[in-house]
Amino acid sequence: AQTVTQSQPEMSVQEAETVTLSCTYDTSESDYYLFWYKQPPSRQMILVIRQEAYKQQNATENRFSVNFQKAAKSFSLKISDSQLGDAAMYFCAYRSEDNYGQNFVFGPGTRLSVLP
Amino acid sequence: DAGVIQSPRHEVTEMGQEVTLRCKPISGHNSLFWYRQTMMRGLELLIYFNNNVPIDDSGMPEDRFSAKMPNASFSTLKIQPSEPRDSAVYFCASSAGQGSTEAFFGQGTRLTVV
């Protein structure tokens, strides 16, 4: 079974600075998808960014970008120009491309604090 | 679309009672997931359905837990009998198709068993 690891339970960043959240995963599959979700205090899970494993180019969404290293099974999230509203739990997630494509597994999360 | 709808938002029950959590996925989505979130264990995948059929229930903690999806627009997660260690936030999520399609989450049900 696939597993997702986030080795940083908590991180903090100064407003306007850049922070990188780490994620590694374990899989024997060659085709899969990776996601970063954000969970603010409201509890709502919000998609931040996604990456297809077959794409070499790293995904970017405004201030959010990823560093996808397929051989190392690493998928880190970089947040540039951090804002107070970025404070939240961040979850890395893996979705397999099996016959049903339905296995959707999350890491333990990293709590990000943004300091004014 | 109103998104994934879960009910109730909060549930407080006594140990030993039956608890039923409800979920209405986004119309047209054919995949449905149930997750449990706790401080200790994070976000655990309990079960997922594809086209109303349970595909993998290996995450269901024990026989006290059961899930059904009688049609494409409704799913339930039942705990009988409930125990204090079942206290958690339970999320339902749905997705259209597979692959890079994201899962859309409901607001969750906070369950407290006293």
Side-chain angles (χ1 to χ4, degrees):
Chain A
Q2 294 82 12
T3 58
V4 178
T5 302
Q6 293 177 251
S7 59
Q8 307 151 316
E10 296 182 356
M11 292 280 286
S12 62
V13 62
Q14 208 74 33
E15 195 176 3
E17 295 296 310
T18 296
V19 65
T20 298
L21 308 184
S22 301
C23 172
T24 58
Y25 56 93
D26 184 27
T27 184
S28 58
E29 299 175 334
S30 58
D31 293 325
Y32 50 88
Y33 305 88
L34 299 165
F35 304 80
W36 278 97
Y37 277 81
K38 168 185 177 181
Q39 186 181 40
S42 67
R43 205 165 76 194
Q44 182 65 47
M45 294 287 283
I46 302 165
L47 178 69
V48 174
I49 199 167
R50 81 188 82 201
Q51 174 81 41
E52 292 86 351
Y54 62 84
K55 289 186 178 179
Q56 293 187 336
Q57 185 173 8
N58 290 324
T60 299
E61 288 287 342
N62 301 313
R63 298 183 295 106
F64 299 88
S65 61
V66 299
N67 184 5
F68 173 49
Q69 301 290 328
K70 190 173 184 180
K73 298 179 183 175
S74 170
F75 182 60
S76 61
L77 175 69
K78 185 171 82 172
I79 306 174
S80 304
D81 185 26
S82 297
Q83 300 175 358
L84 295 177
D86 294 334
M89 281 289 288
Y90 285 82
F91 293 94
C92 179
Y94 172 103
R95 185 170 198 179
S96 67
E97 185 61 78
D98 59 18
N99 288 338
Y100 297 97
Q102 307 304 324
N103 190 3
F104 215 132
V105 180
F106 285 75
T110 296
R111 182 174 301 281
L112 178 66
S113 301
V114 180
L115 308 174
Chain B
D1 200 313
V4 176
I5 300 173
Q6 290 186 247
S7 64
R9 290 291 307 276
H10 305 274
E11 177 79 31
V12 180
T13 190
E14 291 186 346
M15 182 174 63
Q17 295 298 305
E18 177 180 295
V19 175
T20 299
L21 310 182
R22 296 173 176 78
C23 175
K24 176 177 168 43
I26 292 173
S27 177
H29 283 190
N30 63 349
S31 303
L32 185 137
F33 307 84
W34 280 102
Y35 291 90
R36 177 173 69 177
Q37 185 176 30
T38 60
M39 289 291 291
M40 292 298 294
R41 302 173 72 93
L43 203 59
E44 301 173 274
L45 176 62
L46 301 178
I47 186 171
Y48 64 79
F49 294 84
N50 182 40
N51 292 324
N52 312 339
V53 177
I55 302 302
D56 185 356
D57 64 355
S58 60
M60 297 285 264
E62 48 196 275
D63 293 345
R64 297 185 298 107
F65 286 70
S66 62
K68 294 183 180 180
M69 192 164 186
N71 56 62
S73 59
F74 184 66
S75 177
T76 59
L77 178 67
K78 185 177 295 186
I79 308 173
Q80 165 64 18
S82 58
E83 297 182 3
R85 61 193 169 115
D86 301 332
S87 298
V89 178
Y90 291 81
F91 283 100
C92 175
S94 71
S95 176
Q98 61 188 59
S100 64
T101 307
E102 71 192 270
F104 293 80
F105 282 76
Q107 290 280 67
T109 296
R110 181 176 293 280
L111 173 65
T112 303
V113 183
V114 298

